[in-house]
Amino acid sequence: RSDRGSLLASVSRLADMRPGEVRRDGVVSRLAATASLGRLEAGLGGGLALQRVSGGSDDRVSGSARLGVRLFGPFDGAGEYARRAPLGGGRLGALDAVRVEVGVAKGEVRLALGYTFIGFGGDGLTPAEDTSRLYVRARLTY
């Protein structure tokens, strides 16, 4: 991480077995990069989920592009386009999503409220269909 950009990579192993839910075993990896130039911030992200849900394959890939702008003082706004695709398994429902959000930042902490106008919610990698429209995004950097 620097003042002009950041790079984040993660890999996680999941084993979900909640009451009333389907069993999920998998590996989820994500990569995100952001670059800042003056009042603008641009970001690209991608994710890959190789997972077995209820004994079947439900592999997915997702990606997003995001553009944010500092409005005034600590306030900012952002727009995001996301896309997901199955690598195997069943149908996913909506493949595209368009979101907007407004946020407030103080130092390395940012809290934002967003709305998904069309498409799926979340990162697109989870096996359940996420149809939530309103979301909260929090960022803490150290």
Side-chain angles (χ1 to χ4, degrees), residues 14 19 28 32 71 81 83 88 93-94 100 103-104 113 116 120 122-123 130 133 137 142:
L14 301 173
V28 176
L71 300 172
Y81 170 76
R83 175 101 175 145
V100 296
V104 61
L113 183 63
T116 302
F120 60 91
D123 62 6
D130 187 352
R133 295 286 175 214
R137 186 184 309 244
Y142 62 93

Side-chain angles (χ1 to χ4, degrees), residues 1-7 33-38 40-42:
R1 173 156 169 75
S2 73
D3 290 339
R4 294 189 182 234
S6 65
L7 182 65
T34 60
S36 298
L37 181 61
L40 295 177
E41 180 178 85

